[in-house]
């Protein structure tokens, strides 16, 4: 029986986690104690995953229509301060499984959105400590309003520009924080795709087997 590889066996994944850690260390919390606490929680979770030398289940790639924008999103991200993180993503891109997270994808979204989990219960890096992943949006995408039960969520914009709830524009290097149950909707600029990485933190039972979208949440 073939032994399952671990982080120390696959340096590209280990470097990616270290670079993820650095993103959450270097980005400003903007004076917010809640965001600062979330950033520390993400860093501590990543540290535990690295220390545990987590298993890595590398998959064959799965694409979606929106991944036709992947190259453009990476090219734009290379011009930003987090270019090392973009290079780390390129090193594992042949193992990304792009998916929707909906049983029935909202009309039009199947061509303008997909996400790929990097770290979490379904891997490739296996853990129940945290969920880390990527979201790719085509230009002009509107991502429906939704909420997350018991999960604190943050996005870091890697390329492109997005708005959440029509309240401010988030350019590359910006962090968006959504506490549990906060309803949020994302719109994307018209000229370029947007690539975001995300982190979910919460109780292990909340993180287990979760998808990118699993609750529309109550209307406010």
């Amino acid at each position: 029986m073939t032994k399952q590889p671990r982080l120390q066996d696959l340096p590209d994944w280990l470097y990616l986690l270290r670079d993820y850690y650095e993103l959450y260390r270097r980005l400003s919390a903007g004076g917010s104690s809640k965001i600062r606490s979330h950033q520390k929680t993400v860093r501590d979770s990543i540290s535990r995953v690295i220390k545990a030398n987590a298993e890595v289940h590398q998959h064959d790639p799965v694409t979606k229509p929106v991944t036709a924008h992947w190259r453009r999103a990476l090219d734009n991200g290379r011009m930003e301060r987090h270019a090392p993180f973009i290079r780390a993503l390129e090193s594992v891109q042949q193992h990304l499984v792009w998916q929707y997270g909906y049983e029935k994808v909202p009309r039009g979204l199947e061509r303008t959105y997909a996400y790929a989990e990097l770290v979490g219960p379904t891997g490739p890096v296996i853990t129940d400590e945290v969920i880390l992943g990527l979201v790719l949006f085509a230009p002009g995408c509107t991502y429906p309003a939704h909420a997350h039960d018991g999960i604190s969520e943050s996005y870091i914009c890697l390329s492109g520009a997005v708005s959440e709830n029509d309240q401010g524009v988030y350019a590359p290097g910006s962090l968006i924080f959504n506490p549990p149950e906060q309803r949020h909707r994302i719109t994307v600029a018209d000229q370029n795709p947007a690539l975001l990485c995300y982190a979910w933190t919460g109780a292990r039972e909340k993180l287990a087997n979760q998808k990118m979208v699993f609750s529309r949440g109550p209307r406010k």
Side-chain angles (χ1 to χ4, degrees):
M1 184 176 179
T2 304
K3 184 179 178 182
Q4 192 66 45
R6 292 181 173 271
L7 280 174
Q8 295 293 339
D9 304 316
L10 299 168
D12 285 341
W13 287 102
L14 182 58
Y15 294 142
L16 178 61
L17 260 69
R18 288 174 177 168
D19 288 346
Y20 229 117
Y21 180 100
E22 288 301 312
L23 277 181
Y24 276 82
R25 183 179 72 86
R26 293 178 179 175
L27 279 181
S28 172
S32 167
S33 59
K34 290 183 178 180
I35 294 176
R36 187 179 302 113
S37 176
H38 172 75
Q39 290 172 312
K40 184 178 186 303
T41 298
V42 173
R43 294 197 307 271
D44 289 348
S45 298
I46 293 173
S47 293
R48 288 193 293 270
V49 173
I50 293 173
K51 185 176 180 179
N53 196 21
E55 287 189 1
V56 182
H57 296 190
Q58 296 192 111
H59 309 292
D60 292 332
V62 175
T63 63
K64 292 287 186 285
V66 74
T67 53
H69 299 275
W70 172 250
R71 182 176 297 180
R72 175 72 172 187
L74 290 182
D75 286 346
N76 289 344
R78 288 190 193 96
M79 297 185 289
E80 305 298 337
R81 293 180 61 187
H82 47 260
F85 186 74
I86 297 296
R87 291 194 293 271
L89 291 178
E90 288 182 294
S91 71
V92 300
Q93 63 184 344
Q94 71 272 26
H95 300 295
L96 297 182
V97 176
W98 293 96
Q99 50 194 311
Y100 293 125
Y102 290 91
E103 290 184 6
K104 185 178 180 181
V105 184
R107 186 176 180 180
L109 202 60
E110 73 279 356
R111 301 197 62 82
T112 60
Y113 148 85
Y115 80 96
E117 187 171 300
L118 300 171
V119 177
T122 61
V125 180
I126 304 296
T127 184
D128 60 1
E129 292 274 357
V130 66
I131 295 179
L132 308 175
L134 304 170
V135 191
L136 180 61
F137 298 112
C141 176
T142 295
Y143 187 68
H146 62 285
H148 303 286
D149 177 25
I151 300 254
S152 292
E153 172 191 67
S154 58
Y155 295 108
I156 296 175
C157 184
L158 301 175
S159 68
V162 300
S163 177
E164 185 178 271
N165 296 340
D166 298 318
Q167 297 173 348
V169 177
Y170 297 91
S174 301
L175 184 147
I176 309 169
F177 176 65
N178 295 309
E181 286 77 51
Q182 177 169 295
R183 188 171 169 83
H184 50 284
R185 169 180 173 268
I186 294 174
T187 53
V188 181
D190 292 333
Q191 298 301 315
N192 278 292
L195 177 64
L196 288 71
C197 64
Y198 67 89
W200 280 7
T201 62
R204 285 177 169 84
E205 60 270 20
K206 293 293 186 181
L207 294 174
N209 300 315
Q210 292 302 325
K211 300 293 185 181
M212 186 62 198
V213 174
F214 63 95
S215 173
R216 291 300 182 90
R219 292 191 174 274
K220 294 181 179 180

